[in-house]
Amino acid sequence: MFTKLYKKIRLLSNRSKEPYSSLYKLLGFYPDNIHLYEQAFLHKSSSIEAGDGKWLNNERLEFLGDAILDAVVADIVYTHFQNGREGFLTNTRSKIVQRENLNRIAIQLGINERVVSSTKQHSHNNHMYGNALEALIGAIYLDQGYKGCYQFIYNKLIKEHLDLDNLARKEVNFKSSLIEWSQKNKLEVTFDLIESFIDHEGNPVFQTAILLGEHQIGVGIGYSKKESQQNAAKMAIKNYVRIKNSNNSLKA
């Protein structure tokens, strides 16, 4: 009992010092096991060898945090959208936990300034900070349990950085929507890779064109084939809507 009391007194005395006060600003609570949070910000490129010969980094915490994030976001989305069907709920959850979104939120939280890494984030396909955010969630789960994770995700991620209603209405999978539209109207849509090249930072870049029959209706560039196809589909849908609105104006 004396040992527990001593640890509690020591923890309270340290809470006014770094890194406890710094983590409190980020988390909204004081951590019990600060080493979990230090590990959450440790990228594999800066792994530290532990006493038992194992190498410590945030990959295992990221794995755990990814699963916990999915569960908590599903819980939040299910509660928020009382009449949402399974497909709608799944789609909305996917928009929240997508890598680009997590990376953006991580930077807004200042996690990019905390990550310890020996590599620079040059690649546009690198989501180091979003991965660190997932690792942080894994650390919170081990330190504070599910309830602590829920409060952090809801208060720090959802309420401060996302609008669930606007996000739910936002169309993300433009390629899927375009394919569904073409099938419904019995039209043939093809995705052709025009070219690929390396940019000045050494990142691969892809350019895709979309053909409706023999007519090109959209072109997109991205740092992956998938991203270039999505951007091309987005342009094709915008062009279709613009032409449709123009024709309606002429008829009026």
Side-chain angles (χ1 to χ4, degrees):
M1 182 175 180
F2 176 78
T3 303
K4 290 183 178 179
L5 180 61
Y6 172 75
K7 288 182 177 179
K8 186 174 182 180
I9 292 173
R10 187 177 62 179
L11 177 60
L12 289 172
S13 65
N14 287 332
R15 282 182 171 178
S16 61
K17 303 176 183 178
E18 290 287 353
Y20 282 94
S21 60
S22 176
L23 281 172
Y24 179 83
K25 293 177 182 178
L26 171 64
L27 303 172
F29 59 86
Y30 289 107
D32 291 331
N33 184 352
I34 198 168
H35 300 299
L36 287 170
Y37 300 88
E38 293 172 344
Q39 185 176 342
F41 300 128
L42 190 61
H43 187 257
K44 64 180 179 181
S45 63
S46 295
S47 300
I48 297 175
E49 187 174 5
D52 57 1
K54 295 181 180 179
W55 289 88
L56 295 178
N57 55 54
N58 65 3
E59 285 190 320
R60 282 173 54 84
L61 287 174
E62 178 193 339
F63 164 79
L64 179 61
D66 176 62
I68 299 300
L69 179 64
D70 268 353
V72 173
V73 170
D75 191 341
I76 292 171
V77 169
Y78 181 86
T79 303
H80 185 81
F81 298 101
Q82 294 289 325
N83 298 318
R85 295 187 176 182
E86 186 272 338
F88 167 83
L89 298 176
T90 299
N91 190 32
T92 302
R93 181 184 62 182
S94 297
K95 293 174 184 178
I96 295 173
V97 301
Q98 64 176 321
R99 292 295 174 183
E100 293 79 5
N101 199 35
L102 293 182
N103 214 56
R104 175 183 61 80
I105 294 175
I107 292 173
Q108 291 174 341
L109 289 171
I111 288 177
N112 55 311
E113 298 175 1
R114 298 174 180 270
V115 172
V116 178
S117 172
S118 61
T119 62
K120 293 184 178 180
Q121 194 183 26
H122 285 312
S123 173
H124 291 262
N125 295 321
N126 189 334
H127 301 112
M128 182 192 303
Y129 307 133
N131 295 340
L133 175 56
E134 288 185 329
L136 176 62
I137 292 170
I140 295 172
Y141 176 74
L142 293 177
D143 189 48
Q144 302 289 320
Y146 180 84
K147 184 177 180 180
C149 271
Y150 187 99
Q151 291 175 344
F152 173 78
I153 293 169
Y154 182 73
N155 292 323
K156 293 293 185 176
L157 273 61
I158 305 296
K159 287 182 68 175
E160 292 188 10
H161 298 284
L162 293 173
D163 185 319
L164 289 180
D165 295 307
N166 286 338
L167 186 67
R169 290 191 293 267
K170 182 181 178 182
E171 181 56 69
V172 173
N173 197 338
F174 297 102
K175 179 181 178 181
S176 177
S177 296
L178 184 63
I179 291 175
E180 289 177 9
W181 171 83
S182 67
Q183 292 175 344
K184 182 179 179 180
N185 291 276
K186 298 181 179 179
L187 299 171
E188 182 181 359
V189 170
T190 56
F191 293 77
D192 289 342
L193 180 64
I194 299 176
E195 64 173 333
S196 61
F197 56 92
I198 304 297
D199 69 7
H200 65 282
E201 292 185 346
N203 299 306
V205 181
F206 302 88
Q207 186 176 30
T208 296
I210 296 179
L211 301 177
L212 180 61
E214 297 180 353
H215 301 284
Q216 181 175 291
I217 59 174
V219 177
I221 295 177
Y223 290 95
S224 67
K225 292 180 181 179
K226 182 178 179 180
E227 184 181 5
S228 70
Q229 290 174 348
Q230 285 286 353
N231 290 333
K234 182 178 181 179
M235 177 184 287
I237 291 173
K238 283 185 175 180
N239 287 338
Y240 171 76
V241 172
R242 178 174 52 81
I243 294 171
K244 184 178 180 180
N245 289 340
S246 177
N247 290 337
N248 289 338
S249 298
L250 291 174
K251 289 179 181 179

